[in-house]
Amino acid sequence: MIKKTLLLIPFFLFIGCSSKNDVTHSENLTALSWHYKIHKDIQDSNLDQADEDFISLEAEHPASIYIQTDLLSLFLAHQQNEEYDLALFYLSEYEKRYASGNEIPWIEYQKIKMNYLKYDKPFTNQKMLLNLITMCNDYLTKYPNSNFSPEVSTILAKAELTNIYFNDKINKLYKKLDKPKASKLYETKIPSNSKPPVIPWYKKLFYW
């Protein structure tokens, strides 16, 4: 999935310099035909083909009115398929090229939600967790009256609690390693009546 994302990025960076003759997979379809083809791919759950067909649409009809809606369709399809990196890619493209001011709170909320869903392995990648916390705080500062603020607040609470348990794990690890100074940096107080993030039993072998 990440590899495919990396393949798509240079395409969008340099597509403006390409001509129709440079696109070897071109079928010379109309923009509407590509649009229907992309939606048929999505309906058939063939997202790899949908990505390729979207590239063809962009290459052959860069000013097509269908690009805007197809970006959102591909975002939603990849999100539903739990391919969050690709979903974020299409959403970011839509935001840069088409989003109105009224859509930005929704788009930024979607970014937070997908980054939250991507963080599916508690007690790994604290940098990603802290970035999620920062995103939530920034959102609540910029859009305090957004319809999505309550959901962002819920994600923030879960992320902060996970980080507390994460720090507690690190604190205990440094104590085991007899490194009191490092351990003290991660001292934290576990809230009463709280529960640690759930880890499937088969993953517990890989955590402290």
Side-chain angles (χ1 to χ4, degrees):
M1 179 178 65
I2 295 175
K3 182 178 180 182
K4 187 164 69 172
T5 306
L6 294 175
L7 288 173
L8 283 170
I9 290 174
F11 169 80
F12 283 107
L13 289 175
F14 299 111
I15 189 170
C17 302
S18 302
S19 68
K20 286 176 66 174
N21 293 332
D22 295 327
V23 185
T24 57
H25 57 269
S26 171
E27 296 179 17
N28 296 314
L29 299 179
T30 66
L32 182 59
S33 295
W34 281 121
H35 174 68
Y36 283 146
K37 199 169 185 301
I38 290 165
H39 280 262
K40 180 66 164 57
D41 295 333
I42 292 173
Q43 289 175 356
D44 294 341
S45 299
N46 190 354
L47 297 189
D48 287 342
Q49 187 61 53
D51 293 332
E52 292 182 17
D53 289 341
F54 181 76
I55 289 174
S56 295
L57 170 62
E58 279 269 60
E60 296 180 16
H61 308 280
S64 169
I65 60 173
Y66 302 112
I67 291 173
Q68 180 175 357
T69 55
D70 287 344
L71 281 170
L72 281 179
S73 295
L74 287 164
F75 150 65
L76 292 169
H78 284 291
Q79 183 189 54
Q80 187 174 7
N81 206 43
E82 299 182 359
E83 296 177 334
Y84 301 119
D85 287 323
L86 279 169
L88 283 165
F89 173 78
Y90 283 113
L91 184 63
S92 295
E93 284 297 313
Y94 176 85
E95 181 179 27
K96 286 187 292 185
R97 297 158 67 176
Y98 302 108
S100 66
N102 291 334
E103 291 177 290
I104 299 300
W106 173 78
I107 290 173
E108 295 303 314
Y109 159 67
Q110 291 295 332
K111 290 180 180 179
I112 288 171
K113 184 172 73 172
M114 282 185 286
N115 276 281
Y116 169 70
L117 293 171
K118 280 172 59 178
Y119 192 78
D120 59 351
K121 298 175 182 177
F123 310 135
T124 63
N125 199 340
Q126 191 173 34
K127 182 178 179 180
M128 182 178 176
L129 182 61
L130 293 174
N131 181 61
L132 176 60
I133 291 172
T134 299
M135 289 176 69
C136 290
N137 282 319
D138 288 346
Y139 186 95
L140 294 173
T141 299
K142 292 180 181 178
Y143 314 109
N145 299 318
S146 165
N147 291 334
F148 308 103
S149 290
E151 292 184 53
V152 172
S153 295
T154 298
I155 292 174
L156 175 60
K158 291 181 178 180
E160 288 180 331
L161 183 60
T162 299
N163 192 51
I164 288 173
Y165 277 97
F166 202 152
N167 285 335
D168 185 60
K169 290 280 186 181
I170 297 173
N171 171 267
K172 291 175 180 177
L173 175 63
Y174 278 128
K175 283 182 178 179
K176 288 181 180 179
L177 296 174
D178 195 25
K179 294 184 177 181
K181 290 184 178 179
S183 173
K184 192 170 182 61
L185 294 174
Y186 291 92
E187 282 185 352
T188 188
K189 185 177 180 180
I190 303 293
S192 59
N193 300 322
S194 67
K195 295 181 180 180
V198 176
I199 304 174
W201 67 268
Y202 57 87
K203 290 183 179 180
K204 290 184 178 180
L205 297 175
F206 302 99
Y207 294 98
W208 301 313

